Structures are given as structure tokens and as C-alpha cells.
């Protein structure tokens, strides 16, 4: 199979994943539960002929991961209601015609404190600028170094326990995409490679712990955490981002066509 065929499949799956996040955006308001947001995402995925990849993956019980405030990743949707001041990440992965598309965005409930908004903005910038490192002949270490430089330069820390991953016909494959590192190190990027970049940035220290549900990862020091994620492919000349928002949603607060897609 040529990588153009692979890109076509991932592009469709990525577009659907991005659409699901666009769709759920108006529902992210005070008083709604994370379970209700999960169900909206799941039903929209099904409505477009897709499947929710996280559901039952290695025993995971829900269709999405929704991570609030000091939850780093893999937050399990529940009856917890959103309240003004919350920040949250909604992580959607769909399967469409056998191809996977994986993306996540941060959301605000009301107007969070300035320190929360600054963390989210820096995390978005780290992901966005790291995309410029995705090109033939570059290295995976270039991506991590870019993210680390931006995050630590703003006084934050990069989570080491989780990373991006290869994606295509499988949910998680090679290569592992670290969000820290040194330029000029790691796997050399070649046209046709597809993977996620999904930095998790903490306001405090980088250490995390897993709760008793064996999924939810939280910051050990209870500091806030933020994450954005795209599925990308290396082209002959640079990068294709498969999970851009058709509505122009980039970094919160979101309004239609709220920003230029990276």
C-alpha cells in the first residue's frame, strides 16, 4: 500500500475525530456531566459510521477520556458536573473503515483563573510549534526538544510518563513520540510516517500517579495539567495534520472560526 492510500484513510478518520470535538464544544458548560459529554461524543461518532476506539480497549470503560484540572490523562467520564473555573481535556479516538484518528483539545468552563488559562495557552503553543519540526530528515528528538523548550521556558514541566505514538491501522504503534529530548536525536522522520503528538504539561512538577481505577493519571502535587493532541503524517515536504478543526477551533475560549488552524 502506498502511503497516499494510508494518508487517505487516516485523513478521513482524523477529520471525524476533529468533527466530534467540534460537535461537542457548545455542550461544554457548567452543570453538564462528563458522562453526558462522553455519550454525546460516542453517539456522534456512531452517527457518522465510526467506532469509539477507547471503549473496551484493554478494559477501558468509556468512549472518551475526559481529564479535569489536575488530571493529566485517561480521566474516566462520570457523574461529575462541570463547574465554572474548570479546565478539561476531551480526548477522542475514532475508528473509521479500519483507520484510527486521535485528537484532543482543552476546554474552559466559564472563565478559569489566569494561571489556568496561561498553562493552556503555553501547552497549545508547544504543540503548534512542534509541528514545524515534522519534516523529512528531521528527528523525533526535534519535536520533544521544541515542546520542552517552550514548556520549561514558561516555568512549567513536561510529563515523562506518557508519550505520543504511531497510529494507522492500529491504535498504538511505533514510534514512541517523547515530548522532551534533544534536537538531532532519535528516529529520522521519513515520508509516510504517521503518529500523534500530544504533550501533557503540568503547572507544577512532572510526576504523576495512577488512581485506584488503574486508568486516571493525576499530578502528584495536585497542580493543574493541560494537553492538546493531533494526528500527523510526514509528507515529502513537511507535515499534514489530519485532525484540524473544520470550525477553526484551536485554543479556548472557542467561538466559530476562533483562530487560524496551525
Amino acid at each position: 500500500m502506498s502511503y497516499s492510500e494510508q494518508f487517505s484513510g487516516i485523513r478521513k478518520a482524523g477529520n471525524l475525530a476533529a468533527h466530534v470535538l467540534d460537535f461537542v464544544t457548545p455542550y461544554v458548560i457548567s452543570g453538564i456531566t462528563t458522562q453526558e459529554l462522553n455519550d454525546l461524543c460516542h453517539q456522534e461518532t456512531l452517527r457518522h459510521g465510526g467506532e469509539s476506539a477507547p471503549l473496551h480497549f484493554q478494559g477501558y470503560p468509556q468512549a472518551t477520556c475526559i481529564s479535569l484540572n489536575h488530571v493529566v490523562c485517561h480521566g474516566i467520564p462520570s457523574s461529575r458536573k462541570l463547574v465554572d473555573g474548570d479546565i478539561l481535556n476531551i480526548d477522542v479516538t475514532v475508528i473509521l473503515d479500519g483507520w484510527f484518528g486521535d485528537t484532543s483539545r482543552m476546554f474552559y468552563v466559564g472563565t478559569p483563573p489566569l494561571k489556568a488559562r496561561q498553562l493552556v495557552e503555553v501547552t497549545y503553543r508547544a504543540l503548534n510549534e512542534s509541528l514545524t519540526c515534522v519534516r523529512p530528515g528531521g528527528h523525533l528528538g526535534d519535536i520533544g526538544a521544541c515542546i520542552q523548550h517552550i514548556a520549561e521556558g514558561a516555568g512549567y514541566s513536561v510529563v515523562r510518563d506518557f508519550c505520543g505514538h504511531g497510529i494507522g491501522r492500529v491504535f498504538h504503534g511505533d514510534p514512541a513520540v517523547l515530548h522532551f529530548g534533544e534536537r538531532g536525536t532519535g528516529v529520522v522522520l521519513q515520508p509516510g510516517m504517521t503518529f500523534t503528538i500530544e504533550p501533557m504539561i503540568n503547572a507544577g512538577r512532572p510526576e504523576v500517579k495512577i488512581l485506584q481505577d488503574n486508568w486516571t493519571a493525576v499530578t502528584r502535587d495536585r497542580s493543574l495539567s493541560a494537553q492538546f493532541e493531533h494526528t500527523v503524517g510526514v509528507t515529502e515536504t513537511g507535515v499534514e495534520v489530519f485532525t484540524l478543526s473544520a470550525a477553526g477551533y484551536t485554543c479556548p475560549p472557542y467561538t466559530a472560526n476562533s483562530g487560524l488552524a496551525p
Side-chain angles (χ1 to χ4, degrees), residues 16-160:
L16 176 55
H19 164 77
V20 171
L21 287 181
D22 288 351
F23 167 80
V24 82
T25 295
Y27 296 94
V28 183
I29 58 174
S30 180
I32 197 168
T33 69
T34 56
Q35 181 68 59
E36 289 171 319
L37 292 175
N38 174 87
D39 295 347
L40 285 164
C41 290
H42 183 48
Q43 291 303 316
E44 186 66 5
T45 299
L46 295 176
R47 192 171 75 85
H48 287 270
E51 303 171 56
S52 296
L55 187 61
H56 307 312
F57 176 75
Q58 298 182 350
Y60 187 75
Q62 296 281 18
T64 65
C65 298
I66 301 181
S67 303
L68 279 76
N69 300 323
H70 71 289
V71 178
V72 175
C73 61
H74 302 158
I76 300 175
S78 69
S79 60
R80 201 283 205 181
K81 292 183 177 181
L82 301 185
V83 298
D84 284 350
D86 281 339
I87 62 172
L88 63 150
N89 177 275
I90 302 179
D91 191 341
V92 167
T93 309
V94 306
I95 311 170
L96 186 65
D97 299 327
W99 296 97
F100 287 76
D102 191 1
T103 188
S104 79
R105 293 180 210 152
M106 293 299 296
F107 295 82
Y108 296 158
V109 184
T111 304
L114 178 61
K115 65 178 182 179
R117 288 180 278 135
Q118 289 175 330
L119 172 65
V120 170
E121 289 164 5
V122 168
T123 304
Y124 172 73
R125 183 161 61 90
L127 171 61
N128 197 31
E129 293 194 17
S130 75
L131 297 175
T132 66
C133 299
V134 183
R135 58 182 179 271
H139 293 76
L140 281 180
D142 301 344
I143 297 169
C146 176
I147 292 167
Q148 183 177 8
H149 175 75
I150 292 170
E152 293 181 355
Y156 303 132
S157 63
V158 180
V159 171
R160 262 66 168 174

Side-chain angles (χ1 to χ4, degrees), residues 161-243:
D161 297 67
F162 302 97
C163 63
H165 51 86
I167 192 169
R169 288 283 193 182
V170 297
F171 196 167
H172 296 122
D174 292 329
V177 182
L178 304 182
H179 302 121
F180 59 95
E182 297 183 11
R183 290 188 180 274
T185 65
V187 173
V188 176
L189 302 180
Q190 300 178 16
M193 295 177 66
T194 53
F195 49 84
T196 69
I197 307 175
E198 46 185 297
M200 287 148 269
I201 308 300
N202 295 346
R205 294 186 55 81
E207 293 83 10
V208 307
K209 66 177 180 180
I210 307 298
L211 300 186
Q212 290 185 343
D213 60 26
N214 293 320
W215 284 102
T216 307
V218 301
T219 54
R220 280 194 173 273
D221 61 6
R222 303 282 294 185
S223 64
L224 292 172
S225 188
Q227 179 188 22
F228 286 88
E229 176 183 13
H230 276 312
T231 296
V232 304
V234 184
T235 70
E236 298 290 343
T237 57
V239 62
E240 178 173 350
V241 182
F242 299 115
T243 47

